[in-house]
Amino acid sequence: MAFMDKPPAHKVLLDDTVPLTAVIEASQSLQSHTEYIVRVQRGVSMENSWQIIRRYSDFDMLNNSLQISGLSLPLPPKKLIGNMDREFIAERQKGLQNYLNVITSNHILCNYEQVKKFLDPTNYSANYTEVALQQVSMFFRSEPKWEVVEPLKDIGWRLRKRYFLMKCKSQPKEHLVLSWADLGPDKYLQDKDFQCAIKLLQSWSHPYIYRITFATASESSALIIRPFNEKGTLKDLIYKAKPKDPFLKKYCNPRKIQGLELHQIKSYGRQILEVLKFLNDRGFPYGHLHASNVMLEGDNCRLMDLENALLGLPSYYRSYFSQFRKINTLESIDVHCFGHLLYEMTYGRPPDSIPLDQFPPAPSMSVVSVLESILSSEACKSGVPSVAQLLQMPLFGDVTLTNSEKPQFKIPTKLKEALKTARECIEKRLVEEQKLISQHRRLTRAQSHHGSEEEKKKRKILARKKSKRTSCDTGEEQAMKSNNSNNSGSGASSPLTSPSSPTPPCTAEHASF
């Protein structure tokens, strides 16, 4: 049973993964404080920008909310005396700009709710926890057998996804987790197909897919219940984190950075590739692989959040792969995301940037070979291997799979066609976004080249040459005018000639005065 008949008023199909950039354009001093005018832009289009006004106290409040990350952020220090001096304000503005640059370039911080609210208060004014509670309360009215134990605050990275620890009244010792999520910009399934797919989720099983206990959806969101694993996800294993802690606390600044053992990298990698191939072969769109979406049960990896693709939610790594036009299908997205995951399993932390052409020492060169095939400049420029090709690489070739569970994954023919259409629409939106980013990059390069010191020198030299030529031309023109003036003053006239004909010889008549 759907838990709400009508979509709520807060429905916004916004891509929250599109990066926000912020530039402090000016500062204005008032009687008792200084205000900073900040220009914020979403994505590459300057048309999609707006101004916000912030005081230092606003920056300080934001910084306090980010302390849970454990990162040392470069917020300029407070100053009680002399904080209205012009030089001090100019210096503080530079410091605040650097602070914004650090936050917006950090992949985890830039997606944090408080950062979004600070930079874009219009689109992020809602209290998403409150909205989720309203939705969950509606659900409980029709399904009284469930009970909320406690909210799991900020354990995920998505703004519009909220988690609650649950239990079933008939089995109070079994802990479950409920996730509620709003629709995203890539929701292309018609409502009937969407409802059908959500209901099917709990009937699907696979040795490497985490099972769903209950699933239901409204016209605007979905609610999923699955078992709660006290040991957590693959990311919790890598970062030695507690599953119930907030996302920023768990993953922003780990105390100890250490990758997994080689046998774990090989086994987990092989299992993940097997389930990705399974989903791709059946035409099911995924595109949401990252270490927090892989649950561990003993030696087995189980993929989670299949509902994300149905809801149209953007991928965790979208801001990375949207930069590369060859990564334009859901399978190539899965492969790119697998590259991030493999790097994290190997080195115990995410890559600093993509593409990567130099890799730290790894437990085996076969690991580096796979990473190079996915994350190198050549791979990002020319294209990544398929999932099937990755499975053939030496790193995974000698892994023995022991789980013999038979998959149950039936998709009706009509839904299969609907999923295919949705998949094509998701890929089309990505290609259009990549095209805009590519055009913006070319324009930026041209402007940078035009403004370079070398180009400025060339233009100065050309200008001087042009100026000299103009001076010479002007001198010749004045000389000709002077000659013509002398000739006209004598009363003589020159015979008409064509440019190609010789000047007529002088005659006695013309020579006489």
Side-chain angles (χ1 to χ4, degrees):
M1 179 183 289
F3 49 95
M4 185 171 277
D5 296 328
K6 294 182 180 179
H10 76 279
K11 178 180 175 183
V12 181
L13 299 183
L14 190 70
D15 189 339
D16 298 319
T17 63
V18 175
L20 297 179
T21 52
V23 176
I24 302 177
E25 295 183 318
S27 59
Q28 51 188 20
S29 297
L30 303 179
Q31 250 185 347
S32 59
H33 63 274
T34 303
E35 292 181 338
Y36 299 91
I37 302 167
V38 185
R39 169 70 59 181
V40 184
Q41 182 173 313
R42 182 187 300 282
V44 297
S45 174
M46 290 189 69
E47 294 177 4
N48 198 0
S49 67
W50 57 92
Q51 277 188 343
I52 57 172
I53 296 176
R54 294 288 180 263
R55 295 168 58 173
Y56 177 83
S57 58
D58 298 319
F59 283 89
D60 188 48
M61 196 180 300
L62 172 65
N63 193 60
N64 287 337
S65 73
L66 297 176
Q67 291 306 299
I68 193 172
S69 69
L71 295 171
S72 179
L73 298 171
L75 181 73
K78 291 181 181 179
K79 186 177 181 182
L80 299 176
I81 300 171
N83 60 6
M84 300 299 287
D85 294 343
R86 188 174 296 177
E87 288 182 8
F88 170 77
I89 291 171
E91 196 62 31
R92 174 176 272 184
Q93 182 174 324
K94 287 180 185 176
L96 292 175
Q97 182 63 63
N98 180 51
Y99 178 77
L100 287 175
N101 294 343
V102 169
I103 289 173
T104 53
S105 61
N106 183 296
H107 186 56
I108 294 179
L109 293 184
C110 70
N111 285 300
Y112 184 51
E113 182 177 357
Q114 298 307 318
V115 173
K116 295 284 191 185
K117 285 179 180 289
F118 181 87
L119 295 174
D120 188 1
T122 302
N123 283 310
Y124 298 104
S125 59
N127 184 327
Y128 298 109
T129 301
E130 202 174 281
V131 172
L133 280 169
Q134 290 172 1
Q135 299 278 309
V136 172
S137 298
M138 290 291 290
F139 162 68
F140 282 135
R141 290 180 193 176
S142 58
E143 297 285 346
K145 67 177 183 177
W146 307 102
E147 185 180 327
V148 172
V149 177
E150 62 176 314
L152 298 170
K153 194 172 172 163
D154 298 331
I155 67 165
W157 68 276
R158 291 189 188 276
L159 281 80
R160 305 171 200 273
K161 196 166 192 176
R162 290 294 184 265
Y163 299 86
F164 302 88
L165 197 62
M166 305 280 296
K167 66 180 179 181
C168 181
K169 290 179 181 178
S170 61
Q171 295 175 299
K173 290 186 179 180
E174 183 187 5
H175 277 189
L176 306 163
V177 62
L178 179 151
S179 64
W180 169 87
D182 214 344
L183 296 182
D186 282 324
K187 193 266 183 183
Y188 294 107
L189 285 174
Q190 296 297 318
D191 287 343
K192 191 175 178 182
D193 297 318
F194 174 62
Q195 293 288 345
C196 175
I198 291 292
K199 285 176 183 176
L200 281 172
L201 285 173
Q202 62 201 68
S203 69
W204 290 340
S205 67
H206 185 279
Y208 306 122
I209 292 177
Y210 200 57
R211 69 184 175 90
I212 289 174
T213 305
F214 183 84
T216 186
S218 71
E219 295 173 12
S220 62
S221 55
L223 184 151
I224 310 294
I225 298 176
R226 47 172 61 93
F228 179 74
N229 189 333
E230 296 288 346
K231 292 184 179 179
T233 64
L234 178 56
K235 200 172 184 85
D236 293 325
L237 174 69
I238 295 169
Y239 289 78
K240 298 168 183 60
K242 297 175 182 178
K244 291 183 183 179
D245 280 347
F247 200 84
L248 263 64
K249 183 178 180 180
K250 290 188 285 190
Y251 309 131
C252 263
N253 189 27
R255 291 179 183 176
K256 187 178 181 182
I257 297 174
Q258 184 178 353
L260 303 181
E261 298 289 335
L262 181 60
H263 71 91
Q264 292 174 305
I265 296 170
K266 290 162 68 78
S267 177
Y268 295 158
R270 173 66 186 273
Q271 291 174 46
I272 291 165
L273 288 174
E274 287 288 347
V275 69
L276 290 178
K277 185 175 185 303
F278 178 87
L279 293 172
N280 273 289
D281 288 349
R282 279 148 188 80
F284 187 89
Y286 185 54
H288 290 274
L289 178 64
H290 59 89
S292 289
N293 274 353
V294 179
M295 191 64 75
L296 293 178
E297 287 188 335
D299 294 328
N300 289 332
C301 276
R302 296 187 185 269
L303 207 61
M304 291 199 306
D305 284 8
L306 267 64
E307 70 273 11
N308 284 358
L310 306 177
L311 284 159
L313 304 181
S315 170
Y316 181 64
Y317 292 118
R318 188 179 181 91
S319 61
Y320 288 91
F321 60 72
S322 60
Q323 307 294 319
F324 310 110
R325 298 186 74 172
K326 285 291 182 179
I327 304 172
N328 53 18
T329 65
L330 277 165
E331 182 176 5
S332 61
I333 288 171
D334 285 336
V335 170
H336 181 80
C337 294
F338 180 78
H340 283 263
L341 178 73
L342 181 61
Y343 189 99
E344 215 165 357
M345 286 198 293
T346 305
Y347 301 112
R349 60 180 179 85
D352 293 326
S353 61
I354 300 295
L356 271 175
D357 292 313
Q358 298 292 329
F359 295 89
S364 167
M365 279 307 297
S366 59
V367 177
V368 177
S369 297
V370 178
L371 289 171
E372 285 176 337
S373 74
I374 301 172
L375 301 179
S376 67
S377 298
E378 181 60 28
C380 292
K381 182 181 177 182
S382 305
V384 296
S386 66
V387 175
Q389 287 171 329
L390 287 178
L391 280 165
Q392 298 302 314
M393 295 187 80
L395 180 62
F396 309 112
D398 61 351
V399 176
T400 303
L401 301 177
T402 56
N403 197 318
S404 57
E405 180 187 338
K406 190 177 178 182
Q408 299 289 331
F409 207 89
K410 291 182 181 179
I411 304 176
T413 305
K414 190 178 177 185
L415 180 58
K416 227 177 235 186
E417 288 300 315
L419 287 171
K420 182 183 176 184
T421 303
R423 187 184 185 112
E424 289 167 355
C425 291
I426 292 169
E427 292 171 351
K428 183 182 177 184
R429 187 176 85 87
L430 173 62
V431 169
E432 289 171 353
E433 184 180 329
Q434 289 171 330
K435 186 179 178 182
L436 288 174
I437 292 172
S438 179
Q439 289 172 348
H440 174 74
R441 194 182 290 127
R442 284 199 300 271
L443 179 62
T444 303
R445 276 201 299 264
Q447 289 172 340
S448 177
H449 178 69
H450 187 72
S452 67
E453 289 300 319
E454 188 179 344
E455 281 299 302
K456 286 178 181 177
K457 285 179 183 177
K458 284 181 181 178
R459 287 199 296 276
K460 283 181 182 177
I461 292 168
L462 287 171
R464 282 199 293 268
K465 286 181 179 178
K466 188 177 179 181
S467 177
K468 284 180 182 178
R469 282 199 302 269
T470 304
S471 298
C472 290
D473 291 346
T474 304
E476 288 175 7
E477 189 178 334
Q478 287 174 346
M480 287 176 67
K481 283 182 178 179
S482 177
N483 288 336
N484 288 339
S485 176
N486 291 335
N487 289 337
S488 62
S490 66
S493 61
S494 300
L496 296 173
T497 61
S498 69
S500 58
S501 62
T503 305
C506 292
T507 61
E509 184 182 352
H510 287 99
S512 62
F513 293 93

